[in-house]
Amino acid sequence: MSSQVCLRLYEREHEQNALDGAFISAASGNGNAVFIIGSAGLGKTSLLRSAQIRNSRKAEAIYYQGHPVEASLPFAVLDRMFAGMTNALSAPPTDRLGTSEHSLLVHELALLELRTRADRPTVYLLDDLHWADSDSLRILTYLARRISDLPVSLIGAMRSWPPGASRMAETLNAQSEAALLRLEELTFSATHDLLGDLVGRVRAPQFVGRAYTLSGGNPLLVTEAARQVAASGTLPHASERTEGNLRQTLLLSHLSGLPSQSIVVAGASAVLGAQSRIRAVEELCGFAPDDFADAIDSLLATGVLTCEDDCLRFRHDLLAAALLDEMPKGRLRLLHTRAFEYYRSLQDPHSASAHAVAASMVGDKHAIDALKAVGNHALSTGAVGTAVHQLGHAVRFAGQHADTDLLVSYGDALLASGNAPDARTAYHDALRQLPEAGERMPLLARQAVATAYAGRLREALGLFELITQEFGTAVSAETGLEYAYTAWVLDGPNAGLDALARATAATEEHREYVGARMLCQLHTGRAVDLSQIEDLARETWRLGQPGSRTATVSFNPFLIVAVSYYMLERYTDAIEVAELGINYWTNANAPLYAAALRLTRMAALFSQGDLHALMRDAEEAAPEMSPLTEPYFWILRAGALIWSGHTEDAAQLLNQVPQMVGSEAFFVDAYLRDARGQLYLAAGDPASALHEYRALEEKCFRLGIGHAGLPAWVGNALEAYVAAGCPADVRRLVASLEESQQPGRQNRVAMVPQAGRAALAAAADEDRAAEEFYQSALALDVAAPLDRLRIRLRYGRWLRQRHRTKAARGILARALSDADAAGLHGLSTELHGELVAAGGRRRRSDTAAHLTTQQRRVAVLAVEGTTAREIARQLSVSVRTVESHLSAVYRTLGISSRAQLRTITQDGTIDLSVD
């Protein structure tokens, strides 16, 4: 508990208004989430409690306070919020597929509980959320995004460390899903006023300077300084101020003069946590009943501890932390060991396991069994983060004696969490203990999947081939699909089709194979039955509804449909299906499958020319990337940087891709060559770009992939061939694309040949034909804005060279405006140069009209070189507000730095003047 709620909360008016707003939102049926981050002692608990008192008539408040032990318990916060909700998950699954299903079930149950209990406005006050387990934080993130139409608000308070909760709050805030408040220390003035409330206005001035120096403006430590003033009439000198001395001040203030047995009892309470059962504390101390009772009475009398419902609680957990810091390490370990034995005797492995870890009980069979039991239970309920934590400690404690079941469970938890390399190691260690072939098959399949996602594709493919050959009809459909997926990624779509054929021969035909086969055929450039894609698309929409499930495999309906739509250049549809899949697999706690869909979404955004959205996605997706997906992620980021004009940064990213574990994959090589080709074109080196695209064409031809199978790169290849002056390459590419066109379809494969023929006609001085082909290409309704812009650039340049400057200016000016709006600064520079050569000038952009007056003022000062702090001073706002305004300006104008803002202001592109 923090300092007394009845005291005035100095310099917390903004925070109190925000919390009151959360109660009002709940009362109006439009809930929201508010999170408070602050160091210990800054008054987080007081803020929550005072808000609860002030708003008691507006909404029911349900208060929860976190506990260090709960950091290792599955869904501990949810159990406290919803009174044992996760007991509904009592039937454990038998394999890793069930883990995802149970994770989905927890999400659905949590939202159902929230809706069911919201018969009246309710606000959940979640204190000390930094102790929350990672799985509860994942569910809270899910709930925070779904309460805007419910009479429910969430208010969470936390420290910045452990970082899980604060990262959750920062992510939700960045996505405008929650408000974020950061508590600061009190100013000298507020410290003076608070000290005056505590020791009297007459005495305060003589102590305030030293109290402020000692406390650093921390309200709790100001209170402790006041306590010491009241007790002894003095304070330590400022020169003695260190963190250790501050904590020592706390100890002296509360424990000075207490019997030694009371200090022992306080230490035992600290070991058990911020709140602990009296019986447990007594067991750890081992005192005679009368001595223990006297020790407890003295601690209660001095206010060190409080007692409620047979539980002891420290006045503030900083007191407990100070005691633990002062305790000798041997004594601390002994008490944790006693606590483990006590909870084990009560058959409470969840409580026991935390103390086993704290005592580092390496080699202790009972500790290993407790950790294993808790970890397996967590895995069975979809609490993957907790499972990894508990099972990891069990494996470490067991060392070389870790049994097969433990290693397999640990591998399952690691793979479900997205840590494929360590999962591969765990499965490998388990396989060494299984001599029987029949027992090895399911584990071999798991190891093959982990090996693939660890980026070791050739090794994984060998394992899948071994499984198919040795176990025949015993191979599951899921294993067959993973086999095909690995072959597809490594050696291209024909290899995927061959793997599907082998899997089908070894097992029965499964309906899941149909979608995988269709996607591989689409990648080869063959015509497919589009009705099959639409059937699968309808299934993805069904899977987006609560209660629907699909197999946990890489070739899942979401990925198949999203990639198929991307191949068909239906980018908006691809993005929508990818978002459905990302939500599904995120809720299923399956980041490996969500990552592939994030890449698909990013690729579709790139093809749409929405680089700003792509970079936002990249920032959010980065933590989910595995060794298998990381190369594609870097390539996509590099592509966005190239078109944004940051070619040096892009080159650094691309240079690192070949050293990555998963870089041997066919698709990595294909997309890497395309990105390098784009980089060379941006750098004015068409000869090097020519080399990359010739190599890419040759490899696709060798693997039987038509140009229509990888449409994203054909426009870049054409540009390289034209820029390098290689008409033979242009003719070859155009002829191949025209052969693969499907009648009536308007897409990139239809547009690029028209542009190629225009370039050939222009080179042959066939002006009429060139113009007809340029206009024909641009008349097609094709969702490929980057290719279209480059065609418009070439068309405008050709018109200028033919001295048709007026027509050229019209084409180039409109193209430049579109490139500026999309943030394509590299292309904008080239377009601007052509426009100037044609006698035109950059049109003044009207995007600045979307800026607010305050944003304009901030932008003007930034252009002048004023620092953020000085801007804040001049405009009487905070530095954070200035930074927020600048981010909005960059986003609106399609730029990313002050330098770019200065450039487009000085060249007249935008007008930032304030009326």
Side-chain angles (χ1 to χ4, degrees):
M1 298 281 287
S2 189
S3 53
Q4 299 297 321
V5 173
C6 59
L7 287 174
R8 178 181 170 186
L9 299 176
Y10 286 97
E11 297 183 336
R12 298 290 184 257
E13 292 79 8
H14 172 67
E15 290 80 4
Q16 292 181 76
N17 290 338
L19 299 195
D20 292 346
F23 277 85
I24 293 170
S25 295
S28 64
N30 304 114
N32 66 352
V34 179
F35 295 107
I36 307 169
I37 298 178
S39 303
L42 292 185
K44 300 182 294 296
T45 299
S46 294
L47 278 169
L48 265 58
R49 288 300 200 184
S50 64
Q52 181 179 7
I53 294 169
R54 284 195 310 276
N55 297 281
S56 59
R57 295 186 179 181
K58 294 187 183 77
E60 178 184 1
I62 298 176
Y63 180 82
Y64 153 84
Q65 187 167 31
H67 189 283
V69 172
E70 293 175 346
S72 59
L73 302 183
F75 301 120
V77 177
L78 295 187
D79 269 345
R80 296 275 295 277
M81 284 177 65
F82 301 135
M85 181 202 76
T86 54
N87 290 335
L89 306 173
S90 56
T94 57
D95 55 36
R96 72 183 178 90
L97 303 181
T99 300
S100 292
E101 292 172 357
H102 275 66
S103 183
L104 285 166
L105 181 57
V106 174
H107 282 80
E108 292 165 2
L109 282 175
L111 186 58
L112 180 62
E113 288 277 353
L114 215 58
R115 292 184 182 279
T116 302
R117 294 165 186 249
D119 53 351
R120 63 156 294 176
T122 305
V123 177
Y124 289 90
L125 302 170
L126 309 175
D127 201 0
D128 288 344
L129 205 52
H130 50 276
W131 296 127
D133 60 289
S134 60
D135 303 292
S136 288
L137 293 176
R138 177 166 47 84
I139 305 298
L140 286 175
T141 301
Y142 172 81
L143 295 177
R145 291 171 170 155
R146 287 163 176 80
I147 58 176
S148 60
D149 62 344
L150 295 176
V152 176
S153 286
L154 300 175
I155 299 177
M158 69 208 71
R159 301 178 198 166
S160 58
W161 188 266
S166 59
R167 287 175 183 166
M168 173 199 72
E170 288 163 354
T171 298
L172 287 169
N173 176 252
Q175 297 168 353
S176 301
E177 304 280 3
L180 181 60
L181 309 172
R182 295 186 184 274
L183 295 186
E184 304 291 344
E185 287 76 10
L186 300 181
T187 62
F188 183 89
S189 175
T191 301
H192 174 276
D193 292 342
L194 176 57
L195 195 64
D197 290 346
L198 294 167
V199 302
R201 298 290 173 179
V202 175
R203 301 180 69 190
Q206 59 182 307
F207 293 107
V208 66
R210 200 177 303 169
Y212 183 71
T213 302
L214 284 168
S215 68
N218 183 300
L220 176 70
L221 299 183
V222 173
T223 303
E224 298 307 321
R227 178 187 292 272
Q228 187 156 342
V229 167
S232 64
T234 187
L235 283 173
H237 289 288
S239 60
E240 300 173 24
R241 182 182 183 266
T242 66
E243 182 177 354
N245 281 336
L246 281 175
R247 291 192 169 178
Q248 188 65 21
T249 299
L250 291 175
L251 287 170
L252 290 173
S253 173
H254 292 276
L255 302 178
S256 179
L258 288 176
S260 60
Q261 289 179 327
S262 296
I263 297 175
V264 171
V265 170
S269 299
V271 165
L272 290 170
Q275 60 180 16
S276 50
R277 293 286 179 187
I278 292 179
R279 181 70 186 90
V281 177
E282 185 175 11
E283 187 71 22
L284 262 64
C285 294
F287 292 160
D290 288 346
D291 292 338
F292 180 74
D294 290 342
I296 288 289
D297 287 343
S298 63
L299 291 168
L300 295 176
T302 56
V304 175
L305 297 175
T306 61
C307 184
E308 184 178 349
D309 297 330
D310 200 37
C311 279
L312 297 173
R313 181 190 294 271
F314 278 90
R315 182 174 177 275
H316 195 283
D317 57 7
L318 270 183
L319 291 170
L323 278 164
L324 294 176
D325 284 348
E326 293 290 319
M327 192 177 297
K329 300 303 179 186
R331 174 70 179 171
L332 185 62
R333 183 173 180 178
L334 173 64
L335 289 176
H336 278 299
T337 302
R338 287 180 182 175
F340 169 79
E341 295 296 346
Y342 171 72
Y343 285 117
R344 186 174 75 85
S345 70
L346 298 179
Q347 297 183 338
D348 181 0
H350 288 87
S351 299
S353 64
H355 294 288
V357 172
S360 190
M361 300 177 70
V362 175
D364 188 289
K365 181 182 182 302
H366 297 304
I368 295 166
D369 288 345
L371 289 162
K372 182 178 176 181
V374 175
N376 282 332
H377 176 261
L379 189 61
S380 74
T381 58
V384 175
T386 303
V388 169
H389 175 80
Q390 299 284 7
L391 293 170
H393 281 297
V395 169
R396 183 170 67 85
F397 285 7
Q400 295 181 347
H401 302 290
D403 60 43
T404 304
D405 290 342
L406 173 57
L407 289 168
V408 171
S409 293
Y410 185 43
D412 288 349
L414 287 166
L415 189 58
S417 73
N419 186 350
D422 287 347
R424 169 178 171 269
T425 301
Y427 291 140
H428 178 268
D429 291 343
L431 277 166
R432 291 188 301 183
Q433 301 181 17
L434 286 178
E436 295 296 327
E439 296 178 1
R440 289 169 61 86
M441 196 276 285
L443 189 50
L444 272 172
R446 285 171 169 158
Q447 188 189 22
V449 173
T451 302
Y453 276 98
R456 301 177 180 275
L457 292 164
R458 192 64 64 190
E459 179 185 337
L461 190 63
L463 287 171
F464 280 121
E465 289 172 347
L466 174 66
I467 293 166
T468 305
Q469 292 167 7
E470 287 196 8
F471 301 105
T473 56
V475 176
S476 67
E478 288 79 10
T479 299
L481 285 168
E482 296 292 0
Y483 175 24
Y485 181 81
T486 302
W488 173 63
V489 171
L490 178 62
D491 292 326
N494 281 314
L497 289 170
D498 290 344
L500 281 169
R502 292 176 191 170
T504 304
T507 65
E508 298 179 359
E509 173 74 358
H510 291 271
R511 103 184 150 83
E512 288 87 353
Y513 288 171
V514 174
R517 186 177 295 111
M518 176 194 65
L519 180 57
C520 289
Q521 289 172 341
L522 192 61
H523 257 122
T524 63
R526 305 175 201 174
V528 298
D529 183 356
L530 298 183
S531 66
Q532 292 181 341
I533 299 177
E534 300 307 326
D535 288 343
L536 267 180
R538 283 189 285 273
E539 182 178 346
T540 63
W541 287 103
R542 178 185 61 78
L543 289 170
Q545 305 304 311
S548 300
R549 300 289 185 268
T550 189
T552 308
V553 290
S554 303
F555 260 146
N556 57 76
F558 296 109
L559 183 70
I560 291 169
V561 174
V563 175
S564 296
Y565 280 155
Y566 172 75
M567 297 295 300
L568 295 169
E569 300 178 49
R570 294 171 56 178
Y571 300 124
T572 300
D573 292 335
I575 290 169
E576 288 181 358
V577 173
E579 287 174 347
L580 276 176
I582 291 166
N583 289 334
Y584 180 92
W585 292 121
T586 299
N587 294 344
N589 208 356
L592 294 175
Y593 307 118
L597 286 156
R598 288 192 185 279
L599 290 176
T600 305
R601 174 182 155 84
M602 288 171 63
L605 289 168
F606 183 83
S607 293
Q608 283 188 327
D610 193 348
L611 304 188
H612 303 303
L614 188 158
M615 295 307 284
R616 287 197 300 271
D617 269 26
E619 187 174 342
E620 183 178 339
E624 291 186 3
M625 293 300 121
S626 70
L628 178 62
T629 54
E630 193 173 29
Y632 305 96
F633 177 73
W634 283 48
I635 291 168
L636 281 166
R637 285 184 61 201
L641 289 169
I642 291 167
W643 284 85
S644 300
H646 303 290
T647 53
E648 291 185 2
D649 293 337
Q652 289 180 4
L653 291 181
L654 294 178
N655 287 340
Q656 296 181 57
V657 171
Q659 283 75 50
M660 294 181 178
V661 178
S663 62
E664 61 180 335
F666 158 73
F667 286 111
V668 171
D669 181 68
Y671 290 119
L672 179 58
R673 288 191 179 279
D674 181 28
R676 282 174 172 165
Q678 295 176 61
L679 182 62
Y680 289 134
L681 286 171
D685 184 4
S688 296
L690 174 71
H691 170 76
E692 295 293 346
Y693 287 110
R694 279 178 174 172
L696 180 52
E697 269 200 278
E698 188 277 330
K699 186 165 189 175
C700 288
F701 177 79
R702 179 163 43 85
L703 294 176
I705 302 170
H707 292 100
L710 291 170
W713 63 272
V714 292
N716 302 325
L718 174 67
E719 181 66 20
Y721 298 159
V722 172
C726 298
D729 292 283
V730 175
R731 291 190 187 94
R732 183 187 66 252
L733 179 63
V734 167
S736 177
L737 290 172
E738 288 178 340
E739 287 176 9
S740 62
Q741 283 182 32
Q742 297 181 23
R745 287 196 58 209
Q746 295 193 21
N747 58 10
R748 196 188 321 239
V749 178
M751 180 178 70
V752 171
Q754 298 295 309
R757 292 201 174 277
L760 289 170
D765 293 328
E766 298 172 0
D767 291 3
R768 182 174 180 180
E771 181 142 25
E772 287 178 354
F773 282 124
Y774 274 128
Q775 291 181 354
S776 176
L778 294 173
L780 292 172
D781 185 17
V782 179
L786 303 184
D787 285 332
R788 289 179 65 85
L789 280 169
R790 207 142 48 184
I791 293 171
R792 291 158 73 186
L793 169 61
R794 188 163 291 282
Y795 183 26
R797 179 182 293 138
W798 177 77
L799 288 170
R800 177 184 63 78
Q801 291 169 346
R802 292 300 184 272
H803 306 293
R804 297 170 59 185
T805 54
K806 182 177 180 180
R809 287 197 296 269
I811 293 288
L812 294 168
R814 287 190 294 273
L816 178 57
S817 177
D818 291 344
D820 283 341
L824 307 175
H825 303 300
L827 191 59
S828 291
T829 301
E830 201 170 354
L831 282 162
H832 185 247
E834 284 294 333
L835 180 59
V836 171
R841 63 184 181 86
R842 196 182 227 116
R843 293 176 178 176
R844 178 166 288 183
S845 172
D846 62 355
T847 53
H850 300 291
L851 299 176
T852 66
T853 300
Q854 191 76 329
Q855 287 169 352
R856 285 169 178 265
R857 291 192 179 108
V858 169
V860 167
L861 290 169
V863 167
E864 294 172 354
T866 312
T867 66
R869 185 172 296 279
E870 179 59 22
I871 294 173
R873 190 192 66 77
Q874 290 189 32
L875 300 182
S876 300
V877 296
S878 68
V879 174
R880 192 174 294 123
T881 299
V882 170
E883 292 170 346
S884 176
H885 283 322
L886 278 175
S887 295
V889 169
Y890 297 161
R891 188 166 54 250
T892 301
L893 300 181
I895 58 177
S896 58
S897 68
R898 285 196 183 206
Q900 292 172 350
L901 178 62
R902 190 176 298 111
T903 297
I904 63 175
T905 303
Q906 292 173 350
D907 68 11
T909 303
I910 61 168
D911 179 12
L912 292 174
S913 60
V914 180
D915 296 334

